[in-house]
Amino acid sequence: MTIYAKLGYTLLGLLIVLNWGFLMGATFRKIGARVAGRYGIPFYQPWLNLLKNISTRTTITHGVMYYIGPVFRLTGGIGLFLFMPMVFTGTVDGPWTNFSFEGDLILILYFQVFGMLGMALGAGQGGHPYSAMGIARGLAQHAAVELPLTLAFISIAIQFDTFSVYKIVAAQQGGIENWVLFTNPFAAATIILAMLGAMGHSPFNLVKAPNEILIGPATEFEGTYLGFMQSAGSILHVMEAVLFMNLVFGGASNWIELIVKTFLIYFWSVFVGMVFPRFKIEQSVTWFFKVPLLLGFLAIIIYSF
Amino acid sequence: MINDKNSKKIVDIIQDFSRRHSLFVLAYGTGCGAIEIPPTMTSRYDAERFGIRGMATPRQADLLLITGYLASKTLKRVIRAYEQMQDPKYVIGFGSCTINGGMYWDSYNTIKILSDYIPVDVYINGCMPRPEAVITGFIELQNLIKEGKANGAQKYKENLEWYRENQRKVIKDWKMPDYNW
Ligand code: SF4
């Protein structure tokens, strides 16, 4: 496949991912409304919000980093997308594998932190004394999530002897019994639990909640930047779900399968969020350092012998 | 082309459509009327189906909701919140107290007519207005946006001197940052 065809497929894939992310966000709010006994938003609300946000004037500035912060976050989402094989077609040179290469799992781990870091820098330049508090909370929880997640990733990498997400997907083909969910249950359990934190829904959404803290990263940006962050958030949600699908649930062989699987993965975190109220930051950090971390260690120990 | 007169109209129509169906509300719950906001938002009346949702910070909000009497001390905060909101922005005055002082008409420490201090697009009367009335007020605002008549922010910029004069009469120790729109 020529590089231009590949680029075309990648851009098209990004468009699909963005819109699917918006639709998932809308369904999330809709389910939240139904649980509360309300009718809820129309399904096209996220697109309207985006349109409104980018047609709102943006006049507040706090310096260069303030502008670059949301761009960082968007870059994190798109970077995650660029190196992730979306649909398994039998060859790494296929249409929807994007720019997956040997060792992309490490790069993906890096891109997961990238967005958070951008937000931290942006809000830091905001100069509000309390923004440091918001950032500290965000990074503390993020570190607590990343630790078990990384252990599980490494365990899977040892299991298949590769750091390429594409090869991990390829090794899981040929039936449900080949999925990591069954071949490496400890790593799978770690990912399924740590995923709740990575998705950032209710028990672990204190970081994103603008009304929990006076000025955190989420309250500083407005207008076009809010639109940016909204799109980045949608892309990140889908890409996290795709990552876990690739690593644990056997990848997808077409877009329909991808949509069904990411939907189920995403809604695991949504339904947990519907049931459990928000954790304080020390509660969530200790939560991740108990069961998920222990499972992560087990997953590593089993595969190092 | 964007600069072509006719297609600009189309862009405006799309923007106005998204604006009126995506109103982020900054509720300034000053008076007793604020108690009607929870039923408006929750399962009984569910304002979210019109795209109306709460927002915790003025920078991301489009609509400032003043729910009742406004003590002269809090006026300062309202002005600061209003000036931090980004264009286009709207204000709804909620309850008789914002219209003419209501039952606080002779109080020494509340302001009486809200639109003397910040431009109000829609008033909802009643003491206190029921959620039906509140939702009707929201829909009235949506209609105003559709007709292009909800331009209070424009009015504020044009008559800034007049508004400032009124504000300074109430706020004696004027230590406010200057926002440049
Ligand atoms: S209008 Fe009535 S209900 Fe509303 S703030 Fe005034 S006195 Fe309270």
Side-chain angles (χ1 to χ4, degrees):
Chain A
M1 180 176 280
T2 62
I3 186 73
Y4 295 109
K6 190 114 184 153
L7 266 177
Y9 274 116
T10 306
L11 285 178
L12 194 59
L14 188 61
L15 200 69
I16 298 175
V17 163
L18 180 66
N19 286 305
W20 172 228
F22 280 158
L23 195 59
M24 281 211 308
T27 328
F28 160 59
R29 288 197 73 83
K30 192 94 180 167
I31 288 181
R34 283 299 163 89
V35 170
R38 289 186 288 120
Y39 187 73
I41 57 168
F43 73 92
Y44 48 83
Q45 188 70 43
W47 285 275
L48 287 183
N49 287 353
L50 179 71
L51 256 178
K52 191 227 30 204
N53 281 331
I54 57 181
S55 55
T56 302
R57 273 187 65 177
T58 306
T59 51
I60 299 167
T61 168
H62 292 300
V64 180
M65 229 26 242
Y66 179 83
Y67 295 118
I68 300 180
V71 180
F72 258 46
R73 195 169 153 79
L74 194 62
T75 314
I78 293 177
L80 211 55
F81 169 80
L82 275 184
F83 299 103
M84 182 90 72
M86 301 295 287
V87 175
F88 181 81
T89 46
T91 155
V92 78
D93 206 23
W96 304 108
T97 49
N98 297 341
F99 295 92
S100 173
F101 66 105
E102 292 290 334
D104 52 357
L105 190 56
I106 297 174
L107 200 64
I108 282 169
L109 270 174
Y110 173 70
F111 270 123
Q112 271 189 316
V113 198
F114 201 69
M116 193 73 209
L117 229 53
M119 295 295 295
L121 289 172
Q125 185 148 38
H128 194 284
Y130 292 138
S131 67
M133 220 157 113
I135 295 162
R137 286 173 168 194
L139 289 180
Q141 179 170 315
H142 205 73
V145 175
E146 286 291 292
L147 200 53
L149 216 52
T150 311
L151 287 178
F153 287 1
I154 293 174
S155 166
I156 293 172
I158 300 173
Q159 182 191 355
F160 294 115
D161 209 12
T162 174
F163 265 114
S164 151
V165 177
Y166 183 82
K167 285 191 179 160
I168 293 174
V169 176
Q172 296 179 66
Q173 298 303 310
I176 200 167
E177 69 279 0
N178 293 344
W179 291 6
V180 169
L181 186 63
F182 300 106
T183 57
N184 189 353
F186 285 109
T190 314
I191 288 185
I192 288 171
L193 289 180
M195 187 164 91
L196 298 174
M199 291 290 191
H201 281 311
S202 178
F204 309 109
N205 65 349
L206 184 124
V207 180
K208 289 198 293 187
N211 31 10
E212 282 287 346
I213 181 160
L214 292 180
I215 305 284
T219 54
E220 284 277 332
F221 299 99
E222 82 294 318
T224 319
Y225 299 105
L226 189 62
F228 256 151
M229 291 202 326
Q230 198 194 358
S231 326
S234 300
I235 294 176
L236 272 170
H237 269 141
V238 179
M239 289 327 293
E240 299 272 359
V242 170
L243 174 65
F244 302 138
M245 176 192 79
N246 280 341
L247 289 184
V248 181
F249 300 100
S253 51
N254 53 47
W255 278 100
I256 305 290
E257 193 183 343
L258 180 133
I259 282 174
V260 171
K261 278 185 179 172
T262 47
F263 183 86
L264 292 175
I265 293 169
Y266 181 72
F267 281 91
W268 151 244
S269 69
V270 169
F271 282 126
V272 171
M274 290 299 140
V275 180
F276 291 100
R278 194 176 281 160
F279 278 172
K280 284 193 280 183
I281 217 75
E282 58 267 32
Q283 287 171 324
S284 67
V285 168
T286 40
W287 192 86
F288 283 113
F289 280 166
K290 280 178 189 160
V291 180
L293 193 62
L294 212 69
L295 283 171
F297 273 126
L298 269 180
I300 286 275
I301 289 167
I302 286 173
Y303 273 98
S304 25
F305 295 116
Chain B
M1 298 296 338
I2 287 280
N3 291 328
D4 180 26
K5 195 163 169 256
N6 290 324
S7 61
K8 186 151 189 172
K9 239 177 171 172
I10 292 169
V11 172
D12 281 346
I13 288 169
I14 295 171
Q15 284 188 339
D16 278 351
F17 183 80
S18 65
R19 270 172 199 149
R20 70 175 185 270
H21 290 288
S22 159
L23 288 169
F24 290 2
V25 181
L26 179 70
Y28 199 85
T30 47
C32 15
I35 203 70
E36 292 293 334
I37 297 300
T40 313
M41 291 298 180
T42 50
S43 54
R44 187 69 190 246
Y45 293 98
D46 187 18
E48 204 183 19
R49 64 204 150 104
F50 303 108
I52 294 154
R53 60 176 285 198
M55 195 34 94
T57 147
R59 292 185 181 169
Q60 298 172 357
D62 313 297
L63 171 59
L64 182 59
L65 199 61
I66 308 286
T67 56
Y69 59 79
L70 202 57
S72 43
K73 206 171 173 182
T74 51
L75 178 67
K76 196 168 175 176
R77 278 79 192 169
V78 166
I79 293 167
R80 285 195 66 173
Y82 180 72
E83 294 186 352
Q84 281 190 58
M85 286 164 64
Q86 301 293 302
D87 265 6
K89 50 191 174 183
Y90 318 104
V91 179
I92 288 187
F94 181 114
S96 319
C97 281
T98 55
I99 301 174
N100 56 11
M103 64 190 259
Y104 294 93
W105 61 276
D106 60 348
S107 166
Y108 63 93
N109 68 345
T110 64
I111 59 153
K112 307 300 178 299
I113 302 168
L114 181 60
S115 48
D116 281 353
Y117 305 94
I118 51 176
V120 180
D121 294 295
V122 174
Y123 275 121
I124 305 168
N125 74 352
C127 175
M128 49 191 59
R130 286 185 54 77
E132 291 97 329
V134 178
I135 287 180
T136 313
F138 282 138
I139 290 174
E140 178 64 34
L141 177 68
Q142 289 180 336
N143 289 338
L144 286 181
I145 296 173
K146 189 177 177 184
E147 291 158 18
K149 286 183 190 157
N151 39 17
Q154 198 62 34
K155 221 161 58 185
Y156 190 67
K157 268 180 246 173
E158 280 159 12
N159 306 316
L160 189 63
E161 250 83 272
W162 184 77
Y163 282 113
R164 275 279 184 271
E165 199 182 308
N166 288 339
Q167 291 163 358
R168 273 175 209 268
K169 270 182 211 152
V170 179
I171 305 169
K172 294 291 188 293
D173 54 337
W174 183 271
K175 285 198 209 87
M176 302 268 272
D178 272 330
Y179 297 98
N180 48 340
W181 297 282

Coordinates of all heavy atoms in Angstrom, one line a residue, chain A residues 11 18 23 32 39 68 97 128 140 146 154 162 166 169 194 204-205 218 231 245 258 272 293 298 301:
Chain A
L11 N -6.6 9.2 8.0 CA -7.4 10.4 8.2 C -8.9 10.0 8.3 O -9.6 10.5 9.2 CB -7.2 11.4 7.1 CG -5.9 12.2 7.1 CD1 -5.8 13.1 5.9 CD2 -5.9 13.0 8.4
L18 N -13.4 10.1 15.8 CA -13.9 11.3 16.5 C -15.5 11.2 16.6 O -16.0 11.5 17.7 CB -13.5 12.5 15.6 CG -14.0 13.9 16.2 CD1 -13.3 14.2 17.5 CD2 -13.7 14.9 15.2
L23 N -20.5 10.1 19.7 CA -21.8 9.4 19.9 C -21.7 8.6 21.2 O -22.7 8.5 21.9 CB -21.9 8.4 18.7 CG -23.3 7.8 18.6 CD1 -24.4 8.9 18.4 CD2 -23.4 6.8 17.4
G32 N -27.0 8.0 31.7 CA -27.0 8.7 33.0 C -28.4 9.3 33.3 O -28.9 9.2 34.4
Y39 N -35.3 12.2 30.6 CA -35.4 11.8 29.2 C -34.0 12.0 28.6 O -33.5 11.2 27.8 CB -36.4 12.7 28.5 CG -36.6 12.3 27.1 CD1 -37.3 11.2 26.8 CD2 -36.0 13.1 26.1 CE1 -37.4 10.8 25.5 CE2 -36.2 12.7 24.8 CZ -36.9 11.6 24.5 OH -37.1 11.2 23.2
I68 N -1.1 26.1 24.3 CA -0.5 24.9 23.8 C -1.1 23.7 24.6 O -1.2 22.6 24.1 CB 1.0 24.9 23.9 CG1 1.5 26.0 23.0 CG2 1.6 23.6 23.4 CD1 3.0 26.2 23.0
T97 N -4.5 -0.3 9.8 CA -3.5 -0.5 10.9 C -2.8 0.7 11.3 O -1.9 0.7 12.1 CB -2.5 -1.6 10.5 OG1 -2.0 -1.3 9.2 CG2 -3.2 -3.0 10.5
H128 N -3.2 30.5 38.6 CA -4.1 30.5 39.8 C -3.5 29.6 40.9 O -3.0 28.5 40.6 CB -5.5 29.9 39.4 CG -6.5 30.2 40.4 ND1 -6.6 29.5 41.6 CD2 -7.5 31.1 40.5 CE1 -7.6 30.0 42.3 NE2 -8.1 31.0 41.7
A140 N -1.5 12.5 40.5 CA -1.4 11.4 41.5 C -2.3 10.3 41.1 O -1.9 9.1 41.0 CB -1.8 12.0 42.9
E146 N -1.7 4.2 36.1 CA -0.7 3.8 35.1 C 0.2 2.6 35.7 O 0.6 1.7 34.9 CB 0.3 4.9 34.7 CG -0.3 5.9 33.8 CD -0.6 5.4 32.4 OE1 0.3 5.1 31.7 OE2 -1.8 5.2 32.1
I154 N 3.2 -5.1 30.4 CA 4.5 -5.8 30.3 C 4.2 -7.3 30.4 O 4.9 -8.1 29.7 CB 5.4 -5.3 31.4 CG1 5.8 -3.8 31.2 CG2 6.7 -6.1 31.5 CD1 6.5 -3.2 32.2
T162 N 6.6 -9.8 22.4 CA 6.6 -8.7 21.5 C 6.1 -7.4 22.1 O 5.2 -7.5 23.0 CB 5.8 -9.0 20.2 OG1 5.8 -7.8 19.4 CG2 4.4 -9.4 20.5
Y166 N 0.1 -4.9 17.2 CA -0.4 -5.6 16.0 C -0.1 -7.1 16.2 O -1.0 -7.9 16.0 CB 0.3 -5.1 14.7 CG -0.3 -5.8 13.5 CD1 -1.5 -5.4 13.0 CD2 0.3 -6.9 13.0 CE1 -2.1 -6.1 11.9 CE2 -0.2 -7.6 11.9 CZ -1.4 -7.2 11.4 OH -2.0 -7.8 10.4
V169 N -2.4 -8.6 18.8 CA -3.7 -8.9 18.2 C -3.7 -10.1 17.3 O -4.5 -11.0 17.4 CB -4.2 -7.7 17.4 CG1 -5.5 -8.0 16.7 CG2 -4.4 -6.5 18.2
A194 N -8.1 -1.5 36.1 CA -7.4 -0.2 36.0 C -8.0 0.7 34.9 O -7.9 1.9 34.9 CB -5.9 -0.4 35.7
F204 N -13.9 7.7 39.7 CA -12.5 8.3 39.6 C -12.5 9.5 38.7 O -11.6 9.9 38.1 CB -11.6 7.2 38.9 CG -11.6 5.9 39.6 CD1 -12.2 4.8 39.0 CD2 -11.1 5.8 40.9 CE1 -12.2 3.6 39.6 CE2 -11.2 4.6 41.6 CZ -11.8 3.5 40.9
N205 N -13.6 10.3 38.8 CA -13.7 11.5 37.9 C -13.5 12.8 38.7 O -13.9 13.8 38.2 CB -15.0 11.5 37.1 CG -16.2 11.7 38.0 OD1 -16.1 11.6 39.2 ND2 -17.3 11.9 37.4
A218 N -9.6 21.6 34.2 CA -10.8 21.6 33.4 C -11.6 22.9 33.4 O -12.5 23.1 32.6 CB -11.7 20.5 33.9
S231 N -13.1 17.4 21.8 CA -12.7 16.5 20.8 C -11.6 15.5 21.2 O -11.7 14.3 21.0 CB -12.2 17.2 19.5 OG -12.9 18.4 19.4
M245 N -9.3 -3.3 23.9 CA -9.8 -4.3 23.0 C -8.7 -5.1 22.4 O -8.7 -6.3 22.3 CB -10.7 -3.6 22.0 CG -11.3 -4.6 21.0 SD -12.0 -3.7 19.6 CE -10.5 -3.2 18.7
L258 N -15.4 -3.7 15.9 CA -14.7 -2.7 16.7 C -15.7 -1.8 17.5 O -15.6 -1.6 18.7 CB -13.8 -1.8 15.8 CG -13.1 -0.7 16.5 CD1 -11.6 -0.6 16.1 CD2 -13.7 0.7 16.4
V272 N -20.3 1.1 35.9 CA -19.7 1.2 37.3 C -19.9 2.6 37.8 O -20.2 2.8 39.0 CB -18.2 0.8 37.2 CG1 -17.5 1.1 38.5 CG2 -18.0 -0.7 36.9
L293 N -3.0 -3.4 41.7 CA -1.6 -3.5 41.7 C -1.1 -4.9 42.0 O -0.2 -5.5 41.4 CB -1.0 -2.5 42.7 CG 0.5 -2.3 42.7 CD1 0.9 -1.7 41.3 CD2 0.9 -1.3 43.8
L298 N 1.1 -10.2 40.2 CA 0.9 -11.6 40.0 C 1.1 -11.9 38.5 O 1.8 -12.9 38.1 CB -0.5 -12.0 40.4 CG -0.7 -12.5 41.8 CD1 -2.1 -12.9 42.1 CD2 0.2 -13.7 42.0
I301 N 4.7 -11.9 37.7 CA 5.5 -13.0 38.4 C 5.2 -14.3 37.6 O 6.2 -15.0 37.3 CB 5.1 -13.1 39.9 CG1 5.7 -11.9 40.6 CG2 5.6 -14.4 40.5 CD1 5.1 -11.8 42.0

